[in-house]
Amino acid sequence: MSNFSSATSRRRFVQWALGATVAAPLAGCSVLNGGSGSSGSSGGNSGGPVEKSNITLGILGTQGSVGAKLAEKYGYFKQQGLNVTIKPYAQGPQAVPALINGELDFAVINYVSYYQAIAAKTLDAKVVVDGDVATETSQAIMAKPDSGIRTAKDLVGKKVGIQASKSLAELLVRATLKDNDVDPNSVTYLPITFPNIPAAIKSGQLDAGVEVEPYLTTSEQKDGLQPVIKIISGSTANMPVTGYIATSKFIDANPKTVAAFQRALFTAQRDATDRAKVAEVLPELSGVDQATAALLNLDTFPTANNPAQLQRVITLLQAYGGMTAQLNAADYLVPTPQM
């Protein structure tokens, strides 16, 4: 598998390129003041009033929440008759109890955790909006320049950091090894969080580790590490990462509210093709300054829900995550509304 030298040079050349797949939470919460907020406010293109206009959304400090921040900034929630209070969470699963007990109406969560919960029957919820899709440069295996690691075969017998056991990071490494005819069990997987992986590599605790933005870029800048192996490629190309979910109970009781929320988010995610607009929300989401944000690699942001795409996450879990449940992504996905 080819190394990342050309991709790294390209990123430094096009320093205006923006993106943020990060694991850090937002510094604080924010509220969109969009009108009176009384139940029954009219939503734009909704065909009638929404059932609930004051809603609370739990987000992550990751690229999967870019749509929410753009919808807030540009008034798309307000246009749909929604007053949205945004609450940050460090990890998506932390928001699940608040979602279940009604403190949150919607929440951003990584798909691996979501489908694991669905399979375990500990969560009755559906994906409302597909949040972000990884690209081949927004996640990668990092190592020291003199590590000797350049291909999947070079990972045999090595210690690799993977954020958490059975996380997307681990599944992507396992799939990459399998794609390159390497035994996925020939690597030692160590659960070390993204922010701590650079130090673990430098100390020798790890030989390599999976990184996402902004840690991918900051580990290059501050720690001298480099991306050595692509993990968003081949069978894992364009892999969905996170989505906005709501409980089935809330969806059934508030169909117009859900459709209005979807329209606001998908409108915002169309805006996310404009890097200048994404740049306006990246620093708050990623926790880095504007100059560093300009070096980060950007995910892509779907403008419609595609069950075939999300089925790939389930397939990945079944192949490498020990999932035995036969889930159909379409059964856990709210269709895209008329825009």
Side-chain angles (χ1 to χ4, degrees), residues 110-127:
N110 73 81
Y111 283 127
V112 167
S113 294
Y114 168 71
Y115 287 118
Q116 287 170 335
I118 292 297
K121 301 184 186 300
T122 59
L123 176 64
D124 182 8
K126 293 182 179 180
V127 176

Side-chain angles (χ1 to χ4, degrees), residues 136-165:
E136 67 176 18
T137 56
S138 65
Q139 298 193 27
I141 294 178
M142 307 292 290
K144 294 179 180 178
D146 60 356
S147 67
I149 298 173
R150 294 293 181 273
T151 69
K153 290 182 173 61
D154 298 328
L155 290 178
V156 174
K158 298 296 193 298
K159 295 172 292 186
V160 179
I162 42 81
Q163 173 70 4
S165 178

Side-chain angles (χ1 to χ4, degrees), residues 171 174-175 178 184 313-324:
L171 304 186
R174 288 183 175 275
K178 184 69 172 180
V313 181
I314 295 172
T315 300
L316 192 68
L317 276 162
Q318 291 168 334
Y320 305 106
M323 178 183 285
T324 57

Side-chain angles (χ1 to χ4, degrees), residues 177-240:
L177 292 173
K178 184 69 172 180
D179 284 353
N180 287 273
D181 299 319
V182 179
D183 181 1
N185 294 318
S186 64
V187 167
T188 298
Y189 301 94
L190 296 180
I192 297 179
T193 59
F194 295 131
N196 294 316
I197 281 176
I201 293 176
K202 291 177 69 176
S203 70
Q205 182 182 359
L206 293 175
D207 297 297
V210 174
E211 277 295 19
V212 300
E213 293 289 20
Y215 307 109
L216 193 156
T217 291
T218 57
S219 68
E220 288 185 88
Q221 293 178 321
K222 299 177 181 179
D223 302 291
L225 304 183
Q226 62 182 214
V228 292
I229 298 175
K230 297 177 181 179
I231 55 174
I232 305 295
S233 180
S235 68
T236 62
N238 303 312
M239 183 61 64

Side-chain angles (χ1 to χ4, degrees), residues 243-301:
Y244 298 75
I245 65 171
T247 64
S248 298
K249 179 181 178 180
F250 181 87
I251 292 167
D252 291 343
N254 303 279
K256 292 181 180 179
T257 302
V258 170
F261 181 83
Q262 290 178 298
R263 281 190 289 270
L265 261 295
F266 284 132
T267 299
Q269 292 186 175
R270 283 202 295 264
D271 280 1
T273 59
D274 183 341
R275 291 176 178 271
K277 289 186 177 180
V278 176
E280 296 172 350
V281 300
L282 278 180
E284 182 183 358
L285 278 173
S286 67
V288 300
D289 58 32
Q290 191 68 53
T292 302
L295 298 174
L296 306 184
N297 296 281
L298 190 65
D299 281 353
T300 59
F301 306 94

Side-chain angles (χ1 to χ4, degrees), residues 111 127-133 240 242-244 262-271 273 300-310 333-339:
Y111 283 127
V127 176
V128 175
V129 173
D130 188 7
D132 66 324
V133 173
T242 59
Y244 298 75
Q262 290 178 298
R263 281 190 289 270
L265 261 295
F266 284 132
T267 299
Q269 292 186 175
R270 283 202 295 264
D271 280 1
T273 59
T300 59
F301 306 94
T303 56
N305 288 333
N306 183 341
Q309 261 289 82
L310 298 188
L333 180 66
V334 180
T336 307
Q338 183 176 354
M339 296 295 290

